[in-house]
Amino acid sequence: MAKTALVVDDSTSMRQMVSMTLKGAGFQVIEGGNGQEGLDKLKGAPGSKVDLIITDLNMPIMDGLAFIRQVRAQSGSRFTPILMLTTESGDARKMEGKAAGATGWIVKPFHPDQILKVIDKVLPS
Amino acid sequence: MNLDMSQFHQTFFEEAKELLSDMESLLLRLEEDPTDLELLNTIFRCAHSIKGGSATFGFTDIAHFTHDLETLLDLVRNGKVIVDSVLTQLLLESQDQMKALLSAARGEITAAPDASGLTSRIQQSIAGVGSGPTIVPSVSEAASDDTWGVFGMPRRYSLRVAPGPDTLRQGADPLLLIERLAREAEILSVVCDTAGMPSLAEIDPEACFVAWDIELRTDLTEEQILDFFDFIADDSEIKLKVIEPAQELSVITTEAPPAFVLPNVTLAAQTRDATTPTKTNAVHQAEAQTLRVSADKVDKLINLVGELVINQSMLNEVVQDFSMMKLPRLLEAVAEMERASRELQEQVMSVRMLPIKHAFGRFPRLVRDLANAVGKKVELRTSGEDTELDKGVIEAIADPLTHLVRNSIDHGLESAQDRINAGKPEIGVISLHAVHEGGSIVIEISDDGKGLNRERILAKAIERGWVSENEMPTDETICNFIFQPGFSTAAQVTDLSGRGVGMDIVKQAVQALGGSITLSSIIGAGTTFRIRLPLTMAILEGLSLCVGDETYIVPLTNIVESIQPKSGDVRMVAGAGEVVMVRGEVLPIMRLHNVFNTPPRFKNPTDGLLVIVETDRRKVALLVDELIGQSQVVIKSLETNYRKIPGIAGATILGDGRVSLILDVPGLIHEGLGAVAA
């Protein structure tokens, strides 16, 4: 069965690109335009569960860190791999992400192949 | 993986354009309220998103420029740089530069203006904070940095929990412990080992005979996992084994990604090259054709089409073995279909409808800049921004509106001192107001300035020979002289309005859209321009009339009145041909049957009807047989289906299936008058 990924980013173009990459890798993709939409989509997914979450950090309404914390607070998503997209390569931001519950990070700008490599690490087939 | 990045360019462009226009209005609001932190955060996010996208999709120019801007904005939102008029000006100019860079990337302009001055001003502002030298990491450096990684790789363990026989008697519950572990670690599988279970006869109900084999994935250490079972460890067997080898806590890959060398990401560079115009055009055209439509509207359309399909099958069913008994049902089905298709038409039209705020959006900035340039204090008020009209009309009306607003600021409003002397508030008001009125939209552009200077306009009109010195034109006539080609009364030509393009161009543009423009002006109190536009260019409100067997449609906006002339009113005048006297006005008669070469029913104007049409203040009386009525018609282009014909604006299909031509009144008057004179 195809794995499902949730992509959360306020930028439509970035969301499209990440989604296309994931679809190319055989994922079913659902999308949200900010953290709140991401949570709503997650609740709407079968069993309120997805196999992978990729989220931007800087978003209106609910930012990425708050979103990650909310996802981790839900019983079905405690161990779901969450990758965060960040423009800052500094450690401070990464540590914030780790504390919130992110599994890994990808620094923007990135190439689609990078996404696939990280996924390989966090979602061993 | 081979992903064509150029497929996302269009989305990125649209998104960036929206972000930039958001950014502009936010910056203007920031000028009003420099302490609004939420505003600053949102502005930062706009810049941030544009930077992220441009870097990802390979538009390095935009990414580089925006990077510095983002750094500055970050300092601003952290309170390290104070928001003042110098800063907002810098930010607005930066926003303009981003817009230009974006246009360059889209191939709309060959290159954006040089930004080195702007960049150094931004860097100065950053450096002014004393945050050290302005060594800002370039985007490409950032890309080659740690580009991705994983925090603490979870390891997979196999865990065997075999509690001793006395565990339960000691009050411990192994299941509870496993459940607790499951809260902290991901349990992949649990198998209950019942091999140690004795036969029923030998079983001791208080002893524990089962064991569990658990596979789990977690970043907990071995010790932390074993801690869970501390309580029962004494006589129990707890075995923990790592299945997947432990890895470094933080896996960081530092290979440089080929982010900017993708072959298909080089479009931006190509379009800037003037030698590849075809590609540019292709990009441009594809863009013009896209339309953002809310999913809601599409859903409604699908719904309506669904209804039509049901309708059609209903009709089919009724029509088979039709008998008069079924007539009521047939009528019902037809009525239903009529409703569905009318709704479908309305919905499809609404797909092209956008709120007029898309055209109004540019004005806050424009008014601000213009007011600063001429040293006047101006407040812009807009209302009715959500009034919807056709996307094409919005695009076409934006420039004429701009011209009117420029004029109002430049000529309409007085200087602050003059206003105070006149007992008016110091700040002049320009209002833009849009409202639906019947099948059209009315846009009003008003100022509370000094009103039109009649004396100067009249003097100019006499100078140009539009009126003679001893004529006494009405106030309305005088005001309308400003729409005459070649009119310009500005005492001195300023930077803003006096550049050749006059009100006549505005009027032409409005008329080309099938609209009309009127003005009212009160001396000392201001001037209001009223533009009336059709909601869409695809549907036209017209009057059907017939000549012989042919039906023609005249756009309602061109029609003044219809009359049946008395025989004494129609005369032949040397040099002007056949004319008709209408309340003292002499109008040339154009026999439509001659223009289109169709045999008419009436050749004598007193038998038929004269439809008086007007364009550019020139009136002509069209001789027709009969008026049929007013209706909305869908315009079909003749050019795309046949070829352009002078005097014909297009065609439409009538209810009975016949084709009817739509008259192009300006073209007709131009062509026809020539013919009469000849």
Side-chain angles (χ1 to χ4, degrees):
Chain A
M1 209 185 75
K3 288 188 169 162
T4 307
L6 169 62
V7 179
V8 184
D9 198 319
D10 58 329
S11 156
T12 319
S13 51
M14 294 296 282
R15 216 165 56 220
Q16 275 185 2
M17 185 197 128
V18 175
S19 299
M20 291 290 278
T21 308
L22 293 173
K23 282 175 188 163
F27 278 89
Q28 269 186 357
V29 182
I30 50 180
E31 298 180 12
N34 59 59
Q36 186 55 53
E37 271 185 41
L39 283 180
D40 295 345
K41 290 291 167 72
L42 182 62
K43 275 174 199 149
S48 296
K49 252 189 108 162
V50 292
D51 300 291
L52 172 73
I53 296 174
I54 298 186
T55 179
D56 186 27
L57 291 184
N58 209 326
M59 291 183 291
I61 302 169
M62 184 194 284
D63 72 11
L65 291 177
F67 169 67
I68 295 173
R69 277 183 219 113
Q70 294 274 336
V71 171
R72 286 299 183 225
Q74 295 183 12
S75 57
S77 317
R78 253 190 321 238
F79 308 106
T80 309
I82 303 180
L83 301 174
M84 57 182 206
L85 305 175
T86 169
T87 43
E88 289 156 61
S89 51
D91 281 340
R93 195 65 161 168
K94 279 179 214 157
M95 287 308 120
E96 265 185 300
K98 186 184 174 188
T103 315
W105 76 89
I106 303 168
V107 175
K108 286 198 260 188
F110 51 84
H111 186 268
D113 284 346
Q114 277 166 282
I115 303 181
L116 298 180
K117 273 185 199 153
V118 195
I119 292 174
D120 241 21
K121 293 282 179 210
V122 297
L123 264 189
S125 38
Chain B
M1 170 158 190
N2 203 357
L3 199 64
D4 178 8
M5 298 286 264
S6 65
Q7 64 183 305
F8 308 116
H9 287 176
Q10 189 55 40
T11 314
F12 168 71
F13 288 148
E14 270 169 29
E15 193 173 85
K17 199 173 150 194
E18 267 172 35
L19 285 167
L20 280 172
S21 96
D22 286 355
M23 196 167 154
E24 184 176 270
S25 55
L26 291 165
L27 284 172
L28 292 172
R29 274 170 59 196
L30 186 69
E31 219 171 22
E32 305 281 300
D33 187 3
T35 53
D36 191 334
L37 190 66
E38 187 49 41
L39 218 49
L40 279 167
N41 279 329
T42 318
I43 295 169
F44 174 83
R45 196 160 50 229
C46 290
H48 182 81
S49 294
I50 293 172
K51 190 195 88 173
S54 52
T56 301
F57 300 117
F59 302 109
T60 42
D61 285 357
I62 306 176
H64 273 291
F65 181 80
T66 315
H67 184 93
D68 289 345
L69 183 68
E70 190 195 4
T71 311
L72 176 59
L73 282 169
D74 197 32
L75 292 171
V76 175
R77 69 171 179 164
N78 289 323
K80 292 190 176 127
V81 173
I82 307 290
V83 182
D84 55 14
S85 58
V86 179
L87 182 84
T88 44
Q89 183 61 34
L90 176 62
L91 294 177
L92 280 168
E93 281 178 43
S94 305
Q95 181 258 345
D96 287 341
Q97 178 65 18
M98 285 162 75
K99 220 183 249 176
L101 286 165
L102 194 69
S103 300
R106 306 176 89 151
E108 290 168 350
I109 54 175
T110 40
D114 175 56
S116 52
L118 203 53
T119 305
S120 69
R121 274 164 66 202
I122 294 172
Q123 288 178 346
Q124 268 164 25
S125 300
I126 298 170
V129 187
S131 65
T134 56
I135 307 168
V136 199
S138 77
V139 179
S140 52
E141 269 168 23
S144 62
D145 209 334
D146 328 343
T147 53
W148 59 272
V150 175
F151 304 114
M153 275 304 287
R155 277 163 290 182
R156 264 168 73 179
Y157 296 95
S158 82
L159 172 70
R160 180 173 172 84
V161 181
D166 290 337
T167 306
L168 297 175
R169 272 193 286 267
Q170 286 162 359
D173 181 352
L175 268 185
L176 204 69
L177 300 176
I178 292 170
E179 269 169 28
R180 209 173 280 164
L181 175 66
R183 250 174 271 155
E184 302 290 325
E186 186 178 6
I187 306 293
L188 300 173
S189 67
V190 183
V191 177
C192 185
D193 178 7
T194 53
M197 192 78 93
S199 67
L200 195 58
E202 294 162 40
I203 208 161
D204 174 356
E206 291 181 3
C208 180
F209 299 103
V210 292
W212 291 272
D213 289 303
I214 302 167
E215 207 179 294
L216 61 139
R217 182 161 61 200
T218 178
D219 52 7
L220 296 173
T221 62
E222 286 171 61
E223 208 170 294
Q224 283 170 321
I225 298 170
L226 291 173
D227 276 352
F228 279 88
F229 302 97
D230 236 10
F231 217 37
I232 57 165
D234 286 352
D235 60 343
S236 308
E237 180 200 357
I238 311 286
K239 267 199 279 185
L240 185 65
K241 209 168 65 191
V242 178
I243 305 175
E244 273 177 2
Q247 299 190 20
E248 287 294 306
L249 190 67
S250 194
V251 181
I252 298 175
T253 311
T254 50
E255 57 186 294
F260 301 130
V261 295
L262 281 179
N264 39 30
V265 185
T266 52
L267 186 67
Q270 278 178 17
T271 49
R272 215 169 296 141
D273 185 350
T275 58
T276 54
T278 37
K279 186 124 196 178
T280 315
N281 287 345
V283 169
H284 210 82
Q285 272 174 12
E287 214 173 286
Q289 284 161 2
T290 60
L291 195 67
R292 277 198 176 194
V293 180
S294 73
D296 195 40
K297 284 185 175 173
V298 177
D299 286 348
K300 276 190 189 149
L301 282 179
I302 292 171
N303 201 6
L304 281 168
V305 172
E307 278 183 35
L308 269 184
V309 172
I310 295 171
N311 259 315
Q312 188 245 336
S313 59
M314 263 169 70
L315 274 178
N316 259 349
E317 195 242 345
V318 174
V319 170
Q320 266 168 15
D321 306 318
F322 184 74
S323 67
M324 283 314 280
M325 293 289 289
K326 286 184 171 180
L327 187 63
R329 281 185 58 205
L330 177 66
L331 291 176
E332 195 184 313
V334 168
E336 191 58 28
M337 195 152 198
E338 194 185 310
R339 183 196 60 81
S341 53
R342 194 180 53 241
E343 268 182 44
L344 186 64
Q345 188 198 15
E346 278 167 18
Q347 283 297 326
V348 169
M349 300 308 287
S350 85
V351 163
R352 280 189 61 88
M353 295 297 207
L354 288 177
I356 195 159
K357 63 175 158 227
H358 286 265
F360 282 1
R362 62 159 87 172
F363 290 115
R365 175 72 189 279
L366 184 89
V367 168
R368 173 196 175 274
D369 289 354
L370 286 183
N372 283 346
V374 297
K376 291 177 184 173
K377 294 194 172 165
V378 185
E379 185 193 337
L380 175 74
R381 291 183 192 156
T382 54
S383 55
E385 296 99 324
D386 289 326
T387 314
E388 291 196 328
L389 76 164
D390 190 277
K391 184 175 188 268
V393 180
I394 286 190
E395 280 160 7
I397 201 65
D399 284 338
L401 281 183
T402 308
H403 193 78
L404 288 172
V405 169
R406 276 169 180 272
N407 260 334
S408 294
I409 295 176
D410 204 20
H411 304 313
L413 292 178
E414 313 90 330
S415 67
Q417 193 53 51
D418 285 353
R419 288 182 69 88
I420 294 169
N421 292 345
K424 289 178 170 182
E426 190 185 353
I427 300 174
V429 176
I430 304 269
S431 335
L432 288 171
H433 175 65
V435 68
H436 276 159
E437 263 186 31
S440 18
I441 183 170
V442 173
I443 307 170
E444 282 183 355
I445 303 95
S446 351
D447 63 65
D448 67 345
K450 53 182 179 274
L452 295 178
N453 185 336
R454 270 67 161 183
E455 283 165 32
R456 208 187 283 167
I457 296 171
L458 190 57
K460 182 68 110 188
I462 293 169
E463 183 194 318
R464 294 279 148 109
W466 296 326
V467 281
S468 64
E469 228 160 304
N470 39 28
E471 245 179 286
M472 286 294 285
T474 61
D475 192 55
E476 192 194 340
T477 315
I478 296 174
C479 289
N480 277 300
F481 280 134
I482 67 164
F483 291 117
Q484 288 281 355
F487 179 88
S488 176
T489 61
Q492 71 193 101
V493 174
T494 68
D495 233 13
L496 304 175
S497 325
R499 287 239 188 98
V501 209
M503 295 297 292
D504 57 320
I505 305 289
V506 171
K507 186 167 188 178
Q508 270 179 30
V510 171
Q511 283 178 336
L513 292 170
S516 61
I517 180 166
T518 56
L519 73 87
S520 63
S521 177
I522 299 167
I523 292 168
T527 307
T528 298
F529 289 93
R530 234 174 113 85
I531 297 177
R532 178 181 288 274
L533 291 170
L535 288 180
T536 167
M537 290 187 284
I539 286 197
L540 176 122
E541 191 78 26
L543 183 71
S544 337
L545 38 90
C546 74
V547 177
D549 293 334
E550 295 292 330
T551 306
Y552 298 96
I553 288 165
V554 182
L556 218 52
T557 48
N558 293 119
I559 293 179
V560 182
E561 61 181 326
S562 306
I563 54 164
Q564 184 143 38
K566 296 189 198 76
S567 56
D569 294 341
V570 182
R571 297 173 198 171
M572 287 298 290
V573 175
E578 202 174 13
V579 298
V580 59
M581 299 286 293
V582 183
R583 290 185 292 275
E585 221 176 336
V586 181
L587 304 176
I589 293 175
M590 184 186 291
R591 291 171 175 257
L592 269 194
H593 59 92
N594 282 350
V595 176
F596 295 112
N597 214 358
T598 36
R601 269 189 283 155
F602 308 115
K603 284 196 167 170
N604 189 344
T606 50
D607 297 334
L609 275 173
L610 289 176
V611 177
I612 298 170
V613 293
E614 181 188 38
T615 181
D616 292 335
R617 304 171 59 79
R618 287 163 83 187
K619 289 183 187 169
V620 169
L622 302 176
L623 173 61
V624 304
D625 287 345
E626 194 186 340
L627 298 185
I628 299 171
Q630 186 181 330
S631 59
Q632 283 196 338
V633 295
V634 180
I635 304 170
K636 307 269 180 196
S637 163
L638 263 194
E639 275 166 84
T640 49
N641 295 311
Y642 177 50
R643 64 181 170 83
K644 185 156 177 55
I645 299 174
I648 302 291
T652 192
I653 298 169
L654 299 173
D656 60 6
R658 286 188 306 147
V659 171
S660 164
L661 297 176
I662 301 166
L663 303 187
D664 166 24
V665 174
L668 209 55
I669 290 184
H670 187 71
E671 292 285 313
L673 285 184
V676 170

